[in-house]
Amino acid sequence: QLQLVESGGGLVQPGGSLRLSCAASGATLDYYAIGWFRQVPGKEREGVSCISSSGGSTNYADSVRGRFTISRDNAKNTVYLQMNSLKPDDTAVYYCAGYKVNALLRSMCGTTWPYDYWGQGTQVTVSS
């Protein structure tokens, strides 16, 4: 079965950048839409971004649009989240998740979809 592992988190100053990676094993990502989510203790999990299995469609939360970029490299079986102009409010544990799609869904994605494969998360802390 598909397994996902996040990496790339850490401590960064406001205005800095980080690139998170979501590495897959057990199955190819060619058939999966991938979403990035984040969670702060005491708050609900928030959908950050997603990318379709084809790579042709992406979505972003209003809070990160223009600063974050999601991409995928199916040859490396990896999805990335490039985070620029980071703010303290971006501090959270970031998770990637996969949803297996049929042919009709290959060109779209949504963060409200019932993702059923989840990584363990990576901590991002934005502070001076």
Side-chain angles (χ1 to χ4, degrees):
Q1 298 299 311
L2 180 68
Q3 297 176 345
L4 302 173
V5 178
E6 303 93 338
S7 63
L11 175 64
V12 64
Q13 293 186 347
S17 298
L18 285 173
R19 188 178 75 162
L20 305 184
S21 297
C22 177
S25 62
T28 177
L29 284 180
D30 292 353
Y31 304 102
Y32 293 86
I34 300 295
W36 282 98
F37 303 81
R38 64 188 182 186
Q39 189 163 28
V40 177
K43 297 184 178 180
E44 295 291 325
R45 185 171 60 206
E46 176 187 18
V48 175
S49 182
C50 65
I51 187 167
S52 61
S53 64
S54 68
S57 181
T58 59
N59 287 302
Y60 298 93
D62 290 343
S63 58
V64 307
R65 186 175 293 108
R67 299 187 297 120
F68 291 10
T69 303
I70 190 170
S71 62
R72 65 191 301 155
D73 187 341
N74 285 352
K76 297 181 179 179
N77 224 23
T78 301
V79 173
Y80 305 96
L81 184 68
Q82 178 68 46
M83 305 186 297
N84 299 326
S85 302
L86 284 163
K87 306 174 181 180
D89 285 348
D90 295 318
T91 296
V93 177
Y94 283 72
Y95 301 87
C96 67
Y99 177 76
K100 192 173 184 179
V101 300
N102 58 34
L104 295 177
L105 298 178
R106 288 189 65 252
S107 63
M108 62 187 72
C109 76
T111 57
T112 61
W113 288 4
Y115 292 86
D116 48 0
Y117 301 95
W118 291 81
Q120 295 182 338
T122 184
Q123 176 71 48
V124 172
T125 302
V126 185
S127 176
S128 59

